[in-house]
Amino acid sequence: MSKASKPALSELDQSALFFHKYPRPGKLEIQATKPLGNQRDLALAYSPGVAAPCLEIRDDPATAADYTSRANLVAVVSNGTAVLGLGPIGPLASKPVMEGKAVLFKKFAGIDVFDIEIDANDVDRMVSVVSALEPTFGGINLEDIKAPECFEVEHQLRERMNIPVFHDDQHGTAIIVAAAIINGLELSGKKLQDVKIVTSGAGAAAVACLNLLVFLGARKENIWAHDIDGLVFEGRTKNMDRWKGAYAQASDAHSLADNIKDADIFIGLSAANVLKPEMLKTMAEHPLIMALANPVPEIMPEDARNARPDAMICTGRSDFPNQVNNVLCFPFIFRGALDCGATTINEEMKMAAVKAIAGLAREEPSDVAAKAYSGETPIFGPDYLIPSPFDPRLILRIAPAVAEAACQTGVATRPITDWDAYNDQLNRFVFRSGIVMKPLFTAAKAAINKRVIFAEGEDERVLRAAQVLIEEKIAEPILIGRPAIIETRLKRFGLKIRPERDFSITDPNDDPRYRDYVDLYFSLVGRKGVNPEAARTAVRSNTTVIAALAVRRGEADAMICGIEGGYANHLAVVEDVLRKREGVQEFSALSLLISQRGATFLTDTYVTFDPPAEQIAETTLMAAHEIRRFGITPRAALVSHSNFGTRDTASSLKMRKALELIRAMAPDLEVDGEMHGDSAISEDLRRRVMPDSILTGEANLLVFPNLDAANIATGLLKTMMDALHVGPILLGSAKPAHILSPSVTSRGVVNMATLAVVEASMPA
């Protein structure tokens, strides 16, 4: 087709082309993981230093996992003969798809990938090319290779190679289908060995689904497989191969309409609209319909629901419940297999993944998973048989299950022995705050019965955070809100915690302590322009006031607020009710950014617009004290437009004076300034201009001359480094109190509540 005759591109297509082309073509890049900043680095990375690991690997090939990236490197291999939705477009045209697969591996499981598109259509050549790659990779993910060649290619590669070979189109689909079936049968009260299974489609994915279901207990005599030529039956010769032939039935009834009668499960991996409503009406009660053709399924969910209101329905589309999406499993199966050095992915490992996925759907959905849906959060049931692909707990359930199965079946060359440490490692990947927050979580769990009161107790993020805090035994939540609203939202979001049993509620509209709260509040603010009527209104309507009063009265140990409303308004309440800690001149806010570079603290990011030198010094010392709670040694840089005296302005002179004050008050603190931002981050740059600086390495506490600089820098760094923001951490309050930002996630609420518990147990 000539360019001139091409149809006009849709808006989505135009956006996709722009996305892939700019700011640089493609979706992947290669980055060095070691510093290459000087001649010595080069000597270690290449000649002559590289000889040492080469010789170690020659003498013991297993050490390749120690000295190279092989143990975390997967090849996504395709010849482009069966690209989903596009057909046999060839290897070069399939490259954007394979790059996309690589991005999913990295995003969801932290696995590095080289996409490899091969110009090889016959089985022998494909096997020869791919098997020769074994020294480079820890695993092979075959992708978009047409049937029946894909069966033979995978079979031969698994025989020849000593690393996992996994055809995701087959096994990824099969694993998710099996998980949905396990849960669907649980809801319908049926057993896998008894149900009748009918397929439309008998290609790679369909056969893999059937093979795995048989391994899990289904009986071949109950399976009726169909393709474009009808039933796979004994004696049929047209369009047959030995893989689909394993499911041949001795029957004269060859149509899908005939064989779907009384079927319990329909698995569609074929074409649009092949399952008619009248066929569906003949199925057994509570049928499970897996209409997985894309973009148009074998039957649209609304048509299936009209024909059979009792049906449970899965599709391959994201705009309907129960999406069968391979990203639910393949990154995490490889994660577990790579981490234990598995030589293959066997049936037991697949079964472990099936059970992990099915089990996760029966847990409460996480806040990240909930965002993948519109409307109410799904709860385990007909419309929630399998988790969302964006549920961050998938890696925490599937990878350990797969690794454990590999160890138990003897295919792990590096068996995992410390499972607690392994789960911690996975947790740190999922929640990047894990490695920094770990000491705080440990300390918080040791601080028994600390009560944290939440001003916005009806908010979904607070409710989800409360469940985590309760399950992890970090804190006893007290939620301010209307009991009926909280109860309704707990059910809507699928959370199991319940008032009074797991946590307590303070109802602003009906609290027996109301008069006592009003009296206390008026005694604190009565001479600040607040009359008795205003005090009564505040205690009834301002939940931050209620939270602060509860902490002041000793009915809670710490408070969290700020999810709604302006920061300054919340801070005014904290100052009025809780007051500043003795000796503190002014509040300040500390922000923590966690990125691949590590932890970086910035201050003052929220409170004082133009603090004097004395306040900057005080803020730096309070920040340093807070950083030590994380088990981190603070290294502070007072940043400025001036670099060690290059400019004499009011701002730079203020930072110099602050440095003098800090050194006088805390001579053991690593601190220097005033300096440029790059000097704070790079020791090499700093040494060039100030060789005798006492600051070593990279500063982890950046102290700014004013609020503009601190707030702007925090926002830019957070975005540019794709960093997780923990905070803002309020410094200077007499009692633990933190004012969050409206953009905080439920995990952010958990982090700040944990910090508040630690502060309450170990006050400054």
Side-chain angles (χ1 to χ4, degrees):
M1 183 183 291
S2 68
K3 266 189 179 180
S5 62
K6 277 189 176 183
L9 293 173
S10 69
E11 182 181 349
L12 177 64
D13 288 339
Q14 293 179 40
S15 297
L17 291 176
F18 185 90
F19 175 87
H20 282 77
K21 188 173 183 179
Y22 299 101
R24 53 188 293 187
K27 298 189 284 283
L28 298 172
E29 68 177 359
I30 296 174
Q31 289 187 336
T33 60
K34 298 295 190 295
L36 296 170
N38 53 46
Q39 186 60 42
R40 178 170 174 78
D41 290 343
L42 293 174
L44 292 173
Y46 197 53
S47 181
V50 74
C54 289
L55 295 176
E56 289 289 321
I57 296 169
R58 179 199 64 185
D59 297 337
D60 182 4
T63 61
D66 300 320
Y67 299 120
T68 75
S69 62
R70 181 175 185 262
N72 194 54
L73 186 61
V74 166
V76 171
V77 181
S78 180
N79 64 359
T81 52
V83 179
L84 181 64
L86 300 174
I89 60 175
L92 181 59
S94 76
K95 189 172 179 65
V97 179
M98 303 312 130
E99 283 191 356
K101 194 83 171 189
V103 170
L104 295 178
F105 267 107
K106 188 67 174 180
K107 171 70 174 178
F108 286 95
I111 294 171
D112 295 317
V113 167
F114 289 155
D115 63 290
I116 298 179
E117 295 73 33
I118 58 175
D119 186 9
N121 288 344
D122 65 274
V123 171
D124 289 342
R125 188 173 182 196
M126 278 190 278
V127 170
S128 176
V129 170
V130 177
S131 62
L133 299 173
E134 183 168 349
T136 301
F137 296 100
I140 303 291
N141 185 93
L142 301 174
E143 192 77 14
D144 292 348
I145 301 170
K146 73 181 180 72
E149 287 88 341
C150 62
F151 296 115
E152 190 61 42
V153 168
E154 185 189 40
H155 174 73
Q156 290 192 30
L157 288 175
R158 291 184 65 175
E159 291 290 317
R160 291 175 60 167
M161 302 183 79
N162 205 37
I163 58 175
V165 177
F166 188 82
H167 184 207
D168 184 48
D169 298 330
Q170 293 183 56
H171 309 300
T173 303
I175 286 166
I176 302 160
V177 165
I181 287 175
I182 285 175
N183 281 343
L185 294 181
E186 178 174 318
L187 290 172
S188 63
K190 302 175 183 178
K191 295 182 179 179
L192 184 58
Q193 61 264 33
D194 300 329
V195 296
K196 180 180 180 181
I197 302 170
V198 174
T199 76
S200 174
V207 170
C209 289
L210 297 178
N211 289 343
L212 185 54
L213 290 172
V214 168
F215 184 79
L216 290 169
R219 294 188 293 183
K220 284 190 176 182
E221 58 265 32
N222 293 338
I223 295 173
W224 301 73
H226 303 75
D227 60 11
I228 194 171
D229 296 305
L231 179 71
V232 176
F233 62 89
E234 291 180 359
R236 177 179 143 179
T237 58
K238 184 180 180 182
N239 195 24
M240 288 291 291
D241 55 60
R242 63 187 177 96
W243 294 280
K244 73 170 71 171
Y247 295 97
Q249 288 277 10
S251 174
D252 295 327
H254 296 171
S255 74
L256 179 63
D258 287 333
N259 294 316
I260 203 168
K261 293 175 182 176
D262 299 319
D264 300 280
I265 299 170
F266 170 81
I267 302 175
L269 289 154
S270 55
N273 302 317
V274 299
L275 180 62
K276 306 302 181 185
E278 55 268 24
M279 296 182 192
L280 186 53
K281 291 178 180 179
T282 69
M283 294 183 70
E285 64 177 9
H286 302 299
L288 175 57
I289 309 301
M290 311 201 73
L292 307 181
N294 255 322
V296 181
E298 284 79 1
I299 187 169
M300 293 299 290
E302 56 268 28
D303 295 331
R305 187 77 68 200
N306 289 335
R308 288 296 297 269
D310 62 335
M312 295 171 282
I313 306 162
C314 301
T315 71
R317 291 172 43 152
S318 61
D319 53 344
F320 295 112
N322 294 322
Q323 183 193 11
V324 175
N325 186 329
N326 287 12
V327 79
L328 269 165
C329 69
F330 73 81
F332 318 118
I333 289 172
F334 269 98
R335 181 74 279 157
L338 292 173
D339 289 340
C340 68
T343 57
T344 188
I345 295 174
N346 57 31
E347 296 305 306
E348 290 81 4
M349 294 161 74
K350 296 176 198 171
M351 184 171 67
V354 170
K355 292 181 177 178
I357 294 169
L360 180 55
R362 294 191 289 270
E363 297 182 30
E364 301 86 352
S366 73
D367 62 320
V368 179
K371 290 177 183 176
Y373 296 84
S374 58
E376 294 188 355
T377 304
I379 304 170
F380 178 59
D383 288 333
Y384 191 59
L385 298 175
I386 45 180
S388 162
F390 297 97
D391 194 318
R393 297 170 297 177
L394 284 163
I395 191 172
L396 305 178
R397 304 293 184 270
I398 299 173
V402 169
E404 185 174 6
C407 295
Q408 291 176 348
T409 55
V411 299
T413 61
R414 300 188 305 277
I416 295 169
T417 55
D418 189 339
W419 289 99
D420 287 340
Y422 182 57
N423 284 310
D424 275 350
Q425 175 186 327
L426 295 176
N427 263 293
R428 288 196 296 270
F429 172 77
V430 175
F431 303 116
R432 288 172 295 174
S433 58
I435 192 168
V436 175
M437 293 297 296
K438 182 70 174 176
L440 293 180
F441 281 113
T442 301
K445 289 178 182 181
I448 302 171
N449 299 328
K450 291 301 179 184
R451 301 155 299 171
V452 179
I453 188 166
F454 295 87
E456 295 92 359
E458 297 175 359
D459 190 277
E460 177 184 355
R461 292 162 292 180
V462 171
L463 295 174
R464 293 186 182 282
Q467 176 149 308
V468 173
L469 295 169
I470 291 165
E471 290 179 347
E472 297 294 325
K473 297 181 173 58
I474 293 170
E476 294 183 5
I478 303 169
L479 307 186
I480 301 176
R482 294 160 292 178
I485 299 297
I486 290 174
E487 283 273 18
T488 299
R489 291 181 179 178
L490 287 172
K491 292 175 183 176
R492 181 192 304 167
F493 304 139
L495 303 174
K496 290 182 177 178
I497 56 173
R498 289 295 175 264
E500 306 315 323
R501 185 191 71 188
D502 302 307
F503 64 93
S504 59
I505 294 177
T506 295
D507 183 358
N509 298 321
D510 184 18
D511 193 304
R513 301 164 296 183
Y514 172 69
R515 292 185 182 278
D516 295 334
Y517 275 34
V518 170
D519 290 344
L520 175 57
Y521 185 57
F522 184 70
S523 73
L524 297 170
V525 299
R527 294 185 179 274
K528 295 184 177 181
V530 178
N531 61 38
E533 182 59 33
R536 286 191 288 270
T537 301
V539 174
R540 187 71 80 191
S541 61
N542 190 324
T543 56
T544 300
V545 169
I546 298 170
L549 289 170
V551 174
R552 174 89 183 206
R553 284 165 53 93
E555 295 162 352
D557 300 296
M559 65 173 282
I560 301 292
C561 63
I563 292 177
E564 297 173 2
Y567 190 95
N569 294 332
H570 293 284
L571 183 60
V573 172
V574 172
E575 182 168 16
D576 285 342
V577 178
L578 297 183
R579 309 293 170 88
K580 301 185 189 77
R581 193 168 64 244
E582 187 177 352
V584 171
Q585 300 176 52
E586 186 53 84
F587 293 104
S588 61
L590 177 69
S591 288
L592 165 60
L593 297 181
I594 304 168
S595 69
Q596 292 181 345
R597 296 182 63 91
T600 304
F601 295 85
L602 306 92
T603 198
D604 169 14
T605 53
Y606 274 83
V607 180
T608 305
F609 176 71
D610 189 14
E614 291 77 10
Q615 190 176 328
I616 289 173
E618 178 184 73
T619 293
T620 303
L621 296 180
M622 289 195 294
H625 178 78
E626 197 71 21
I627 291 170
R628 292 189 181 98
R629 294 189 195 274
F630 292 82
I632 297 172
T633 300
R635 297 189 300 274
L638 308 187
V639 293
S640 169
H641 68 283
S642 173
N643 203 28
F644 297 105
T646 57
R647 300 283 296 275
D648 290 332
T649 63
S651 174
S652 61
L653 292 173
K654 176 174 69 172
M655 299 305 276
R656 275 179 233 168
K657 181 179 179 182
L659 177 64
E660 294 175 4
L661 295 170
I662 294 167
R663 286 182 169 171
M665 293 184 284
D668 295 333
L669 177 65
E670 268 195 52
V671 59
D672 210 343
E674 80 289 7
M675 68 180 75
H676 285 170
D678 54 1
S679 295
I681 299 301
S682 170
E683 185 172 24
D684 285 342
L685 287 176
R686 190 165 60 248
R687 292 294 178 203
R688 291 176 195 170
V689 295
M690 188 53 60
D692 63 350
S693 174
I694 66 168
L695 185 60
T696 60
E698 181 175 320
N700 55 24
L701 172 57
L702 304 180
V703 182
F704 293 87
N706 57 47
L707 183 60
D708 271 351
N711 195 277
I712 292 168
T714 301
L716 288 174
L717 290 174
K718 176 185 174 182
T719 303
M720 293 172 66
M721 299 192 304
D722 190 23
L724 175 69
H725 180 218
V726 178
I729 302 166
L730 183 62
L731 304 177
S733 176
K735 298 279 187 180
H738 293 292
I739 305 165
L740 309 185
S741 64
S743 62
V744 71
T745 64
S746 68
R747 189 68 190 181
V749 177
V750 171
N751 286 338
M752 294 307 298
T754 301
L755 177 59
V757 167
V758 174
E759 291 172 339
S761 61
M762 298 185 294

